[in-house]
Amino acid sequence: MASAAAHTLIEAVPAAVADPGMTAIWEQALDEIEAGRLTLDAFVAKQVNWIAQLVEHCGALTLAVPVEAGPTCPICNASMRRRKGKSGPFWSCSHYPDCKGTVPIRKDTRRS
Ligand SMILES: [Zn+2]
């Protein structure tokens, strides 16, 4: 299950990360620094900016990560999603609000 989720994440990461052309650009930048045409600070600032954009982009993505193995809805047999309620997390039918099926999460019943 974890490896499937990791695979989805890799697919979602912008192609730029895995692009060998990106490495070439970095190497070129390093040559520029060596030649004194680019300061190290400017290079680092560029990287920081680029990574910040990347993180922002990834944060906005909705990953189709396989849902952790949850129960199926007792009413309509659909898959269920973890939701947070007033009394803690519980499983809610993925067809909510059309279907009101819920299943308590076992971990939390121990707490009382
Ligand atoms: Zn249901």
Side-chain angles (χ1 to χ4, degrees):
M1 189 60 77
S3 63
H7 190 69
T8 306
L9 183 61
I10 288 162
E11 280 176 358
V13 168
V17 177
D19 184 4
M22 204 64 215
T23 312
I25 288 169
W26 286 340
E27 275 170 11
Q28 199 187 332
L30 292 176
D31 285 344
E32 297 277 294
I33 292 166
E34 219 169 54
R37 287 193 292 266
L38 181 70
T39 66
L40 187 59
D41 283 350
F43 174 71
V44 171
K46 263 189 191 179
Q47 297 313 302
V48 169
N49 192 32
W50 183 73
I51 288 166
Q53 272 179 11
L54 205 63
V55 169
E56 207 171 283
H57 177 68
C58 286
L61 282 178
T62 304
L63 298 184
V65 174
V67 181
E68 65 180 289
T72 50
C73 178
I75 297 170
C76 71
N77 224 30
S79 62
M80 303 197 84
R81 283 166 200 207
R82 216 185 147 98
R83 295 173 74 109
K84 259 196 172 168
K86 280 176 203 161
S87 51
F90 62 99
W91 293 106
S92 166
C93 181
S94 57
H95 290 169
Y96 181 86
D98 293 328
C99 172
K100 303 276 199 299
T102 62
V103 171
I105 289 177
R106 222 172 278 167
K107 264 184 232 158
D108 292 278
T109 56
R110 254 190 251 150
R111 230 200 263 153
S112 61

